[in-house]
Amino acid sequence: MSIAENVSRIRAQMNAAAIAAGRDPSEIKLCAATKMNDADAVRQAIAAGVDCCGENRVQELTQKRSENAYAGALVHFIGHLQTNKVKQVVGKVDLIQSVDRINLMEAIEKEAARQGIIQNILLEVNIGREASKSGFYAEEIFQVLDQFMNFPHLSIKGLMAIPPVCQHPGENFRFFQEISQLSVDIEEKKYDNVTVDCLSIGMSDDFTDAIACGSTMVRIGTAIFGARNYAKLHL
Ligand SMILES: *Cc1c(COP(=O)(O)O)cnc(C)c1O
């Protein structure tokens, strides 16, 4: 199946999941997780109508941008970001989804202030409390928000999470519901410069479950591009 066929199949599944949940399909965005896929594949996904591209690695972001891969499309950063690489990302992407620690927030703030811009971010939540994953624990999120006035060059647009790998269908519901509730709790507190319009949950294997639980952005790689080929991409 071509990338275009995959995107239209996924859209149909997204729409069906939204309608089954009594939601408006237009409120759910499709982010193509483009890691390990080259500029040509990225262009095909954009032509097929994905809402944005999500890159994991600074090196790939920089290389594909230099190849004009994203032409006109929104670009998000979705991978682990080292503080010494923020200069290559801040002001160059529309949204940094993977803000997972305070010292990264500080580094992004400093760079955004230097550039005189406001950088849109999501806070990444370690929803399964896994040692192997990054992200704030749910209860830390409120500590972050309580000191958010110290970050005038950041604007929080919502939350992102990667739940634990689940063995059984439906097992991830608990995690998705927990983060969905967290975004409701944040909304109720009405912090300045904080919205939770974006709830970025759901990947190739579980995006319909995520939509059932309130996802407004799914990040999909394999189901769009096929299995990632680590030998193919020359970077
Ligand atoms: C790779 C990746 C995805 C997409 O994963 P698939 O299972 O290939 O759909 C989504 N989010 C992040 C942060 C990723 O790194």
Side-chain angles (χ1 to χ4, degrees), residues 49 51 73 76 93 105 133 140 143 158 191 200 210-211 218:
D51 295 298
H76 294 182
V93 297
M105 280 178 72
K133 286 213 178 98
E140 290 174 333
Q143 293 165 16
Y191 292 93
S200 176
I211 290 169
V218 297

Side-chain angles (χ1 to χ4, degrees), residues 127-214:
I127 201 75
R129 308 183 81 86
E130 296 170 282
S132 62
K133 286 213 178 98
S134 45
F136 296 100
Y137 289 154
E139 68 274 12
E140 290 174 333
I141 293 285
F142 290 99
Q143 293 165 16
V144 172
L145 296 174
D146 285 336
Q147 48 177 297
F148 194 56
M149 64 288 234
N150 300 324
F151 297 89
H153 298 87
L154 304 186
S155 178
I156 293 177
K157 300 296 181 189
L159 303 176
M160 182 270 235
I162 306 169
V165 175
C166 293
Q167 308 302 331
H168 307 290
E171 213 176 290
N172 46 18
F173 260 79
R174 174 166 75 88
F175 298 111
F176 288 147
Q177 275 162 350
E178 201 177 307
I179 191 168
S180 190
Q181 184 59 48
L182 182 62
S183 70
V184 172
D185 295 345
I186 294 168
E187 185 94 271
E188 277 174 0
K189 293 212 171 187
K190 305 208 183 308
Y191 292 93
D192 286 343
N193 298 321
V194 177
T195 64
V196 279
D197 298 335
C198 188
L199 180 57
S200 176
I201 48 173
M203 311 200 293
S204 291
D205 290 334
D206 59 11
F207 68 92
T208 54
D209 291 345
I211 290 169
C213 296

Side-chain angles (χ1 to χ4, degrees), residues 4-233:
E5 286 167 328
N6 289 339
V7 169
S8 63
R9 184 189 67 250
I10 292 162
R11 282 281 189 201
Q13 291 168 334
M14 288 171 65
N15 291 352
I19 288 161
R23 302 181 55 199
D24 175 359
S26 72
E27 69 187 30
I28 304 154
K29 305 291 181 221
L30 173 55
C31 175
T34 46
K35 63 173 175 278
M36 307 309 295
N37 284 287
D38 62 15
D40 185 51
V42 171
R43 284 188 204 102
Q44 288 180 49
I46 293 167
V50 300
D51 295 298
C52 60
C53 296
E55 286 291 353
N56 282 71
R57 292 168 66 216
V58 173
Q59 195 187 6
E60 282 192 52
L61 172 72
T62 306
Q63 162 135 6
K64 285 177 228 176
R65 175 172 286 111
S66 76
E67 295 171 276
N68 203 24
Y70 310 113
L74 295 171
V75 183
H76 294 182
F77 195 80
I78 64 173
H80 185 71
L81 180 56
Q82 291 167 262
T83 49
N84 64 356
K85 293 193 174 159
V86 295
K87 278 196 172 63
Q88 294 159 267
V89 177
V90 172
K92 298 196 162 75
V93 297
D94 301 284
L95 182 68
I96 304 174
Q97 295 200 14
S98 43
V99 176
D100 55 6
R101 60 198 191 281
I102 283 285
N103 79 338
L104 178 59
M105 280 178 72
E106 287 165 352
I108 296 171
E109 165 64 30
K110 199 169 156 203
E111 177 60 19
R114 195 186 66 80
Q115 294 180 21
I117 61 157
I118 306 265
Q119 176 67 56
N120 293 331
I121 65 168
L122 303 182
L123 298 180
E124 181 173 350
V125 184
N126 187 347
I127 201 75
R129 308 183 81 86
E130 296 170 282
S132 62
K133 286 213 178 98
S134 45
F136 296 100
Y137 289 154
E139 68 274 12
E140 290 174 333
I141 293 285
F142 290 99
Q143 293 165 16
V144 172
L145 296 174
D146 285 336
Q147 48 177 297
F148 194 56
M149 64 288 234
N150 300 324
F151 297 89
H153 298 87
L154 304 186
S155 178
I156 293 177
K157 300 296 181 189
L159 303 176
M160 182 270 235
I162 306 169
V165 175
C166 293
Q167 308 302 331
H168 307 290
E171 213 176 290
N172 46 18
F173 260 79
R174 174 166 75 88
F175 298 111
F176 288 147
Q177 275 162 350
E178 201 177 307
I179 191 168
S180 190
Q181 184 59 48
L182 182 62
S183 70
V184 172
D185 295 345
I186 294 168
E187 185 94 271
E188 277 174 0
K189 293 212 171 187
K190 305 208 183 308
Y191 292 93
D192 286 343
N193 298 321
V194 177
T195 64
V196 279
D197 298 335
C198 188
L199 180 57
S200 176
I201 48 173
M203 311 200 293
S204 291
D205 290 334
D206 59 11
F207 68 92
T208 54
D209 291 345
I211 290 169
C213 296
S215 171
T216 65
M217 180 170 289
V218 297
R219 307 176 311 270
I220 302 200
T222 311
I224 293 178
F225 299 108
R228 285 179 279 278
N229 179 351
Y230 287 80
K232 194 180 85 187
L233 193 74

